[in-house]
Amino acid sequence: MNIDLLNLLYGGDIGKHLSTLYFLADSIKAKTIVELGVQNGNSTLFLHEIVKKYDGYLYSFDIEHTVFTSSFNSPFWKFTLQDDLDAGSFWNKSIDFLFVDSNDTDYHTREVLRLWAPWIRLGGIIAFHDVYCDIKDQESYNFMPAIKDFLNCRLDFRSWLFKTAKGLCVLVRGNYLESCNEEYGVVI
């Protein structure tokens, strides 16, 4: 797969983070990836390449069908038309990589972390897109407090924050003796 070519083809706000998502998932040899929010399938295609590489499986959840979800087909991918909180309440498998790009509210983020984080394996990753948005209604998009509260309670996660293209927050689960949450230039 030519990552540079796909980056050029799949723009949008997620486009600037696609190679980062690919690198992160590849670095942990992710076999079980869960994607919350599919939309045009840009992130789906990148994450799909990882599960193909490691003979794994990508589970994608969204509340609506799109042209992408209706046309893309693969033995390594399953799309479920379902709210990600409903799906999280029934999930029962270990997760290597969780990508969240669905409902960007404080409440929703807290619920995603409550339902999905317990399934992240040691060394696994949670990545949130849209952590910084330049929209007028900052209230509905301001979910960083939910992530910060989670990190204050869960010292087994480290965080990194990429502030470009609406932002990407990456949480890595490990065996950490102290809180080491970092941001490029700013501590979360």
Side-chain angles (χ1 to χ4, degrees), residues 2-90:
N2 185 329
I3 297 295
D4 293 327
L5 177 60
L6 285 176
N7 267 329
L8 289 173
L9 294 174
Y10 299 102
D13 57 344
I14 190 61
K16 291 183 172 66
H17 298 296
L18 292 175
S19 55
T20 302
L21 291 175
Y22 183 90
F23 169 77
L24 290 168
D26 191 32
S27 72
I28 62 168
K29 297 176 174 49
K31 291 180 99 173
T32 302
I33 298 178
V34 175
E35 176 188 40
L36 307 181
V38 176
Q39 198 171 24
N40 297 323
N42 295 343
S43 56
T44 308
L45 290 174
F46 276 70
L47 297 173
H48 176 263
E49 288 301 312
I50 296 298
V51 295
K52 255 178 42 180
K53 181 177 181 177
Y54 296 110
D55 196 28
Y57 210 76
L58 170 61
Y59 301 87
S60 299
F61 297 92
D62 206 323
I63 57 173
E64 57 188 38
H65 274 292
T66 65
V67 172
F68 177 81
T69 60
S70 300
S71 61
F72 185 68
N73 191 8
S74 167
F76 301 97
W77 181 64
K78 177 180 169 80
F79 172 75
T80 303
L81 184 65
Q82 184 177 23
D83 179 83
D84 50 22
L85 298 183
D86 292 339
S89 64
F90 294 104

Side-chain angles (χ1 to χ4, degrees), residues 149-169:
D149 288 348
F150 173 79
L151 292 169
N152 285 333
C153 296
R154 296 289 304 265
L155 296 181
D156 57 333
F157 280 88
R158 285 187 179 176
S159 69
W160 288 268
L161 190 56
F162 302 85
K163 289 187 174 181
T164 58
K166 293 189 179 181
L168 184 72
C169 184

Side-chain angles (χ1 to χ4, degrees), residues 92-107:
N92 63 359
K93 298 175 185 150
S94 177
I95 300 170
D96 298 316
F97 191 92
L98 173 66
F99 178 57
V100 184
D101 193 8
S102 57
N103 182 331
D104 303 322
T105 63
D106 184 81
Y107 170 78

